């Protein structure tokens, strides 16, 4: 799956780059999730009509939780992803709060408990939660496994790990130790540190079922 986040759209107060989404959707044949700057049902409708399979909302969902239920009713829960940016609470063990508008100047703390917000969003109709650890994002030191477990143990929708992947081992840990349903990676793939094939092979060899492309199946019988 390809996840396209226009990370400064909300902070800049502008819409997502629809032309980019449309051009990407024309060229790929795997699920495409799009997020950043989506504030209304009409914004989501435009992204889905442009070729996105799912839309991810973060800031707008915090500001207007009913947007989650309204969009789920309109498009189906399978289309609605909660993007959850979480940061640890100073002086508290295993407590995280939600941040919004994180694309510029570090974003804004909300005081909203991240685990409680994930529960509420799932109850409102979000079909998936992408849990991004602000503490780990960009560090390449691995995901926040405690955060992943805290959310995955209590919500009944798929949880995707985000923020901190520095190696295939980290992705494996997110799936096995963090109980995540999927793991998202950016830097290690963008910069060619590891290939997607290498990452899948590492995880597969350690017993986690994973889908390979037909080309990979031909070269790795």
């Amino acid at each position: 799956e390809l996840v396209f986040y226009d990370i400064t759209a909300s902070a800049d107060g502008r819409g997502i780059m629809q032309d980019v989404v449309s051009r990407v959707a024309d060229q790929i044949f795997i699920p495409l999730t799009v997020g950043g700057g989506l504030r209304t049902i009409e914004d989501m409708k435009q992204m889905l009509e442009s070729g996105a399979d799912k839309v991810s909302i973060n800031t707008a969902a915090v500001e207007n939780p009913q947007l989650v239920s309204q969009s789920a009713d309109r498009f189906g829960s399978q289309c609605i992803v909660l993007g959850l940016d979480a940061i640890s609470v100073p002086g508290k063990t295993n407590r995280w709060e939600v941040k919004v508008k994180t694309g510029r100047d570090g974003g804004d703390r909300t005081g909203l408990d991240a685990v409680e917000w994930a529960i509420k969003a799932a109850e409102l109709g979000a079909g998936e939660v992408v849990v991004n650890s602000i503490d780990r994002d960009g560090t390449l030191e691995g995901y926040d496994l405690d955060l992943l477990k805290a959310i995955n143990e209590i919500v009944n929708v798929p949880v995707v790990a985000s923020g901190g992947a520095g190696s295939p081992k980290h992705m494996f840990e997110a799936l096995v130790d963090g109980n995540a349903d999927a793991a998202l990676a950016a830097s290690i793939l963008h910069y060619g540190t590891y290939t997607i094939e290498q990452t899948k092979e590492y995880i597969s060899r350690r017993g986690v079922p994973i889908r390979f492309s037909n080309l990979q199946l031909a070269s790795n019988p």
Side-chain angles (χ1 to χ4, degrees):
E1 181 170 340
L2 179 65
V3 180
F4 180 92
Y5 280 139
D6 187 347
I7 62 173
T8 60
S10 289
D12 290 347
R14 59 174 174 80
I16 203 166
M17 294 181 284
Q18 186 174 351
D19 60 325
V20 177
V21 173
S22 181
R23 296 204 309 270
V24 170
D26 282 343
Q27 297 297 318
I28 66 170
F29 302 96
I30 58 174
L32 172 63
T33 297
V34 173
L38 303 178
R39 302 175 186 84
T40 66
I41 295 293
E42 183 59 30
D43 290 340
M44 299 180 197
K45 179 174 179 286
Q46 289 178 1
M47 288 304 104
L48 294 170
E49 290 179 345
S50 295
D53 298 284
K54 293 183 280 187
V55 289
S56 179
I57 50 177
N58 179 355
T59 300
V62 172
E63 294 175 346
N64 176 20
Q66 292 308 309
L67 182 62
V68 179
S69 56
Q70 291 167 0
S71 57
D73 288 343
R74 177 71 179 275
F75 307 114
S77 291
Q78 80 285 349
C79 284
I80 309 305
V81 179
L82 177 73
L84 195 162
D85 286 333
I87 190 168
S88 56
V89 177
K92 302 287 187 178
T93 301
N94 288 346
R95 288 285 303 278
W96 304 266
E97 70 174 297
V98 177
K99 290 191 78 175
V100 296
K101 300 179 181 177
T102 53
R104 296 280 189 203
D105 303 320
D108 301 329
R109 286 180 178 264
T110 64
L112 187 63
D113 182 271
V115 177
E116 292 178 1
W117 172 228
I119 296 169
K120 181 176 180 179
E123 291 174 345
L124 287 170
E128 182 177 309
V129 181
V130 174
V131 180
N132 182 48
S133 168
I134 298 297
D135 300 299
R136 297 298 185 94
D137 197 18
T139 66
L140 305 179
E141 295 177 355
Y143 304 92
D144 187 333
L145 301 181
D146 290 331
L147 171 61
L148 290 172
K149 285 188 288 188
I151 291 178
N152 210 342
E153 286 173 357
I154 206 160
V155 301
N156 60 357
V157 299
V159 172
V160 180
S162 176
S167 69
K169 179 175 181 290
H170 292 152
M171 300 181 78
F172 172 77
E173 290 171 345
L175 299 171
V176 175
D177 299 326
N179 299 326
D181 297 281
L184 185 155
S187 298
I188 63 171
L189 302 178
H190 295 326
Y191 294 115
T193 309
Y194 298 94
T195 66
I196 293 173
E197 290 79 5
Q198 288 171 330
T199 303
K200 285 186 172 184
E201 287 169 3
Y202 179 96
I203 295 170
S204 177
R205 284 195 222 104
R206 283 153 184 80
V208 176
I210 194 164
R211 180 182 300 141
F212 287 92
S213 68
N214 291 334
L215 179 60
Q216 285 177 277
L217 289 172
S219 60
N220 295 287

